[in-house]
Amino acid sequence: MRTIATLLFPQFELLDVYGPLEMLGMFPDDFRLIMVAESDAPVASTQGPRTAIDARIDEMDPAEILLIPGGRGTRREVSNQRVLEWLKNASASAELVTSVCTGAFLLARAGLLDDRRATTNKLAFSVAAEHGPRVDWQGSARWVWDGKFVTASGVSAGIDMSLAVIRDLLGEDAARDAALWSEYVPNTDPDNDPFAVSEETIR
Amino acid sequence: MRTIATLLFPQFELLDVYGPLEMLGMFPDDFRLIMVAESDAPVASTQGPRTAIDARIDEMDPAEILLIPGGRGTRREVSNQRVLEWLKNASASAELVTSVCTGAFLLARAGLLDDRRATTNKLAFSVAAEHGPRVDWQGSARWVWDGKFVTASGVSAGIDMSLAVIRDLLGEDAARDAALWSEYVPNTDPDNDPFAVSEETIR
């Protein structure tokens, strides 16, 4: 049984969180989902709906898997030292650290993606180098798996990334079942990116 | 400005709710999202994460659009007279009533889909007639739009259905922008159902 801790912050993007958790949450014998944040209060998404918190980041037990969403709120969180410090520590003890969309900017600001390949939302790609000058940002990738870090492209790409995590940890059949049950047509090829941008976008 | 009220109940399915709300929530000048339930307490999804409530169904103002998700909890809610009564009343004053997955069973139990075409999750299709004997259940449909009722197939189909709603209410460009921004490859054809079942499944 692995714990998956999802970091929430004000103005997180709904689908960045709940696309992956729909898929990962289908395996309650394998994954326990907890929602974590800086404080105990419910956290409002960019779109409005609020999610209740299970543990504060300063009191939680180490989690095997982290999920870091993007959303408008990342613009503030990239300068939030408490969150970046937690990310560094929590990542050190985690088995897998995943991000969706601009969630990668938080990993980059924490220095966790230095000298690694990573990706993010293609519409935010032009500012990626600013957040991670030493990151090898990939302009064409549905998701990128480098060491323990798995970064997904924009919003919906998190669903495909989560199915790749299920495939890796629980096997091909589990990933296929999750997609079938949720009537989702998965993109199983990390290099098949319908939203690819030229890597010159970043320079 | 239209209010979109999403009904939550214990063990609602995460993506049934947050797939459509990701898309609809991109238009805050057009749609206001509120989460409603029988009581004020946060509501736990099938997968675990809990959503905070904005209004109780017995105190809320009429909403122009309803979103009724599915999930394991529908097995209990199909017999919940308070919820079914609310559904009847709220639908009467609504402009559009949408459901995802087994959420259609609640509409069917409230009698709202009688003599209408509708669909649901294809893995639950064999029990559809039990919940709605007078509904013309469609075994091959990504979503079905009949009058003010728009029923989506399983889980992920709700995303495509929500883009159809955006197309209808806000125009083609808005729907295209929402898909592009969230890096989602939409299925824009309601008759293109990769998970279709024979209609004999139901008999």
Side-chain angles (χ1 to χ4, degrees):
Chain A
M1 172 72 86
R2 293 168 168 102
T3 296
I4 302 178
T6 300
L7 175 70
L8 296 184
F9 44 79
Q11 297 190 291
F12 72 89
E13 190 73 19
L14 280 176
L15 196 59
D16 290 14
V17 167
Y18 289 117
L21 294 190
E22 166 70 28
M23 299 300 173
L24 296 160
M26 282 188 215
F27 304 94
D29 294 339
D30 300 289
F31 301 129
R32 187 173 75 98
L33 310 184
I34 63 166
M35 312 305 271
V36 305
E38 269 195 277
S39 73
D40 290 316
V43 178
S45 60
T46 301
Q47 291 89 349
R50 291 167 298 143
T51 293
I53 294 305
D54 300 305
R56 290 201 314 273
I57 56 175
D58 65 1
E59 63 168 17
M60 64 178 277
D61 291 329
E64 285 81 4
I65 301 175
L66 306 181
L67 173 62
I68 314 301
R72 204 173 297 159
T74 54
R75 296 180 199 170
R76 193 183 45 250
E77 300 305 319
V78 289
S79 309
N80 183 336
Q81 292 308 321
R82 278 184 64 192
V83 162
L84 298 183
E85 271 306 309
W86 170 79
L87 256 183
K88 266 186 249 187
N89 294 331
S91 294
S93 57
E95 177 185 351
L96 218 50
V97 180
T98 70
S99 70
V100 181
C101 202
T102 52
F105 294 167
L106 302 188
L107 300 183
R109 284 282 181 182
L112 295 163
L113 298 179
D114 284 355
D115 307 314
R116 292 191 182 274
R117 290 175 306 114
T119 196
T120 183
N121 190 306
K122 297 310 157 24
L123 295 181
F125 209 73
S126 62
V127 297
E130 182 188 313
H131 294 298
R134 292 181 51 198
V135 181
D136 183 9
W137 293 106
Q138 305 291 305
S140 179
R142 189 67 172 163
W143 72 90
V144 174
W145 196 309
D146 187 342
K148 69 161 90 166
F149 296 92
V150 194
T151 52
S153 196
V155 191
S156 310
I159 303 177
D160 293 322
M161 179 271 283
S162 69
L163 289 170
V165 168
I166 292 169
R167 204 152 40 237
D168 187 72
L169 298 178
L170 307 182
E172 185 67 44
D173 287 356
R176 202 166 30 221
D177 286 352
L180 177 66
W181 191 83
S182 57
E183 297 196 8
Y184 181 71
V185 181
N187 177 347
T188 55
D189 178 2
D191 297 326
N192 172 11
D193 182 1
F195 304 93
V197 291
S198 154
E199 268 152 55
E200 283 160 26
T201 311
I202 210 169
R203 282 167 198 126
Chain B
M1 172 70 86
R2 294 169 167 103
T3 296
I4 302 178
T6 300
L7 174 71
L8 296 184
F9 43 79
Q11 297 189 291
F12 72 89
E13 190 73 19
L14 281 175
L15 196 59
D16 290 14
V17 167
Y18 289 116
L21 294 190
E22 166 70 29
M23 299 300 174
L24 297 160
M26 281 188 217
F27 304 94
D29 294 339
D30 300 289
F31 301 129
R32 186 174 73 100
L33 310 184
I34 64 166
M35 313 305 272
V36 306
E38 270 195 277
S39 73
D40 290 316
V43 179
S45 60
T46 301
Q47 291 87 351
R50 293 167 297 143
T51 294
I53 294 305
D54 299 305
R56 290 200 314 272
I57 56 176
D58 65 2
E59 63 167 18
M60 64 178 277
D61 292 328
E64 285 81 4
I65 301 175
L66 305 181
L67 172 62
I68 314 300
R72 204 173 296 160
T74 54
R75 295 180 199 171
R76 191 183 46 248
E77 301 304 320
V78 289
S79 309
N80 183 337
Q81 292 308 319
R82 278 185 64 192
V83 161
L84 297 182
E85 272 307 308
W86 170 79
L87 256 183
K88 266 187 247 188
N89 294 331
S91 294
S93 57
E95 177 186 350
L96 218 50
V97 180
T98 70
S99 70
V100 181
C101 202
T102 52
F105 294 166
L106 302 188
L107 300 183
R109 285 282 180 181
L112 295 163
L113 299 179
D114 284 354
D115 306 316
R116 291 191 182 274
R117 290 176 305 113
T119 197
T120 183
N121 190 308
K122 297 309 159 20
L123 296 181
F125 209 73
S126 61
V127 298
E130 182 188 314
H131 295 298
R134 292 181 52 199
V135 180
D136 183 8
W137 293 106
Q138 305 291 303
S140 179
R142 188 66 172 163
W143 71 89
V144 174
W145 196 309
D146 188 340
K148 69 161 93 168
F149 296 92
V150 194
T151 53
S153 197
V155 192
S156 310
I159 302 176
D160 292 323
M161 179 271 282
S162 69
L163 289 171
V165 168
I166 291 168
R167 204 151 42 234
D168 187 72
L169 298 179
L170 308 182
E172 185 67 42
D173 287 355
R176 201 166 30 218
D177 286 351
L180 177 67
W181 191 82
S182 58
E183 298 196 8
Y184 181 70
V185 180
N187 177 347
T188 55
D189 178 2
D191 297 327
N192 171 11
D193 182 1
F195 303 93
V197 291
S198 155
E199 269 152 54
E200 282 159 28
T201 311
I202 211 169
R203 283 170 195 123

